[in-house]
Amino acid sequence: METNQAAVRNKPKSKLMALLEVLGVSTKLGLTSFGGPIAHLGYFHDEYIRRRKWMDERSYADLVALCQFLPGPASSQVGIGIGVIRAGLLGGLIAWLGFTLPSVIALVLFAFLLQGFDIGGAGWIHGLKIVAVAIVAHAILGMGQKLTPDRNRATIAIIAASVTLLWQTAFSQVLLIVVAGLIGLWMYRNTAIPEAPNLPVPVSRGFAVFCLVIFFGLLIALPLLRQFWAAGWLPLFDSFYRAGSLVFGGGHVVLPLLEREVVPTGWVSSEDFLAGYGAAQAVPGPLFTFAGYLGAMANGISGAVIATAAIFLPAFLLIIGALPFWNSLRKSPKVQGALIGINAAVVGILLAALYNPLWTTAILSPIDFALAAILFLMLVFWKLPPWVVVVAGAAGGTIMGFF
């Protein structure tokens, strides 16, 4: 097991003290971290690195690079990694709980509000659907500028969007990601990789391999078991585990994966799905907590617990499993080339989601388009916080309901 020199800075007097520190700081972040994964990384840097110096700048940058490379919620994985380095594996779990539970609780309460008061057709709910259109369009704009800056990557993105819209199956997006990775490997295999310092990690390679075996084992075994045991908690766990395992490029990309898992099965209606996605923009913490809302809509409290645990479990297994090997992998041009292709395909998949289900369900009239354009303006040019845009969208939908 390697020693992390950065982790000894401001070392607590006991393991319990370390865990309490991690719980306190992560809970503060879970209550105040608005603005999406990029903003979360800024909050993390301010709290963990600048104020408390739990890691040095270089190690934090390496940890962020690793989590951007892995599928799953990048900001949550960074928080888990910092918790592991600070207080061991239990520290990683505590860091995740503190950062995640506040928004899970808020979204589960919202799910019960929708069910208990039958407000699915209210004007403000339609406004939340329009908010989702504006926010995903904003995400595509930012991701497209960064991940598809040239003709080749833009072509991969458009082809991925077209295939996603025309071939909507449970396996189409997985196949697209694999093919895009192979194309990127071929096209960008000779791309120069800048020198990067090693990231010291407190995880043995043996335990890391064990976590990776569990990750791939569940990814393969759960769909097979589901064929023989289609009742109870297993189908829900399988759907959310696969969604958490296959999301590259940030939280917004989980939208089409989850939509294809919960809407066709009848667990959640299309209207409730989009209303919850809009509400998820108004709470702090990771966007993956949207799974808690969907699980609650499908099967109450137990569904919320199963869905939340299942969608975040891959993040745990991957970050712990990859940390000891990242130093060598991130210096490989082939790995970086595959990642370039995958990221371009992710932009295309999200572009397809912008059309279906978002646009086709939310933009039903010229006034809907006008509200979406105003919300997009507020996000991109006025640079207002997402929660402000959510409130504006809900208010706009309420006003539109009177006409």
Side-chain angles (χ1 to χ4, degrees):
M1 189 175 296
E2 300 179 63
T3 301
N4 190 329
Q5 298 297 331
V8 301
R9 298 186 177 190
N10 298 323
K11 187 175 180 180
K13 295 180 179 180
S14 67
K15 186 68 173 291
L16 178 60
M17 185 64 68
L19 291 173
L20 291 175
E21 282 183 336
V22 170
L23 178 61
V25 180
S26 62
T27 302
K28 175 185 175 182
L29 289 165
L31 291 168
T32 59
S33 295
F34 292 90
I38 301 301
H40 297 164
L41 296 178
Y43 293 126
F44 286 176
H45 181 272
D46 185 59
E47 289 289 342
Y48 289 129
I49 311 305
R50 189 179 67 83
R51 295 187 181 183
R52 291 170 176 80
K53 303 187 186 304
W54 286 0
M55 295 176 66
D56 60 83
E57 294 280 354
R58 185 171 292 181
S59 294
Y60 179 71
D62 281 354
L63 180 61
V64 170
L66 169 60
C67 297
Q68 296 287 358
F69 172 81
L70 295 173
S75 60
S76 294
Q77 287 170 317
V78 170
I80 293 168
I82 292 174
V84 169
I85 291 170
R86 183 65 174 175
L89 294 175
L90 185 56
L93 177 62
I94 293 296
W96 171 75
L97 285 172
F99 185 56
T100 305
L101 278 185
S103 53
V104 169
I105 293 171
L107 290 173
V108 169
L109 291 176
F110 180 71
F112 291 151
L113 180 67
L114 281 184
Q115 294 174 326
F117 291 91
D118 191 25
I119 55 178
W124 64 273
I125 294 294
H126 186 66
L128 290 181
K129 299 177 187 178
I130 298 174
V131 167
V133 173
I135 288 180
V136 172
H138 181 214
I140 292 172
L141 178 64
M143 292 174 64
Q145 291 172 341
K146 180 180 179 181
L147 301 177
T148 58
D150 55 47
R151 181 182 62 185
N152 291 337
R153 280 177 277 187
T155 300
I156 293 174
I158 295 301
I159 292 175
S162 302
V163 172
T164 300
L165 289 171
L166 297 174
W167 183 36
Q168 297 189 8
T169 70
F171 304 101
S172 58
Q173 292 183 24
V174 179
L175 183 59
L176 277 172
I177 288 172
V178 172
V179 171
L182 293 174
I183 293 173
L185 174 63
W186 174 68
M187 295 181 67
Y188 298 99
R189 62 188 181 279
N190 295 321
T191 301
I193 303 298
E195 284 294 324
N198 287 337
L199 174 66
V201 294
V203 178
S204 69
R205 291 200 169 195
F207 187 74
V209 170
F210 173 76
C211 289
L212 293 175
V213 169
I214 296 297
F215 168 77
F216 287 107
L218 288 174
L219 192 60
I220 296 170
L222 286 173
L224 296 177
L225 291 173
R226 186 173 179 173
Q227 302 300 317
F228 302 99
W229 187 18
W233 60 269
L234 183 62
L236 193 68
F237 191 92
D238 170 49
S239 292
F240 283 88
Y241 183 85
R242 277 188 289 111
S245 301
L246 301 173
V247 174
F248 288 85
H252 292 289
V253 188
V254 80
L255 173 70
L257 287 174
L258 288 178
E259 193 271 341
R260 287 180 178 82
E261 292 291 340
V262 302
V263 174
T265 57
W267 291 338
V268 180
S269 70
S270 178
E271 291 75 17
D272 288 342
F273 180 89
L274 292 176
Y277 185 75
Q281 315 300 325
V283 298
L287 186 58
F288 268 45
T289 54
F290 179 40
Y293 164 86
L294 296 175
M297 294 294 289
N299 198 29
I301 292 293
S302 63
V305 173
I306 291 169
T308 303
I311 202 169
F312 279 101
L313 180 57
F316 274 93
L317 296 174
L318 285 171
I319 186 63
I320 295 171
L323 272 172
F325 305 103
W326 180 233
N327 289 324
S328 56
L329 285 176
R330 69 191 303 255
K331 298 174 184 177
S332 168
K334 293 182 179 180
V335 172
Q336 293 294 331
L339 183 60
I340 288 173
I342 289 172
N343 284 334
V346 162
V347 175
I349 291 171
L350 193 54
L351 180 62
L354 176 63
Y355 175 72
N356 183 26
L358 291 177
W359 189 280
T360 56
T361 307
I363 309 301
L364 307 177
S365 66
I367 194 171
D368 292 338
F369 178 81
L371 179 58
I374 292 172
L375 298 175
F376 183 78
L377 177 71
M378 294 169 67
L379 277 170
V380 177
F381 295 100
W382 293 357
K383 301 188 184 303
L384 296 178
W387 69 267
V388 173
V389 177
V390 169
V391 172
T398 302
I399 294 171
M400 288 161 49
F402 294 112
F403 295 96

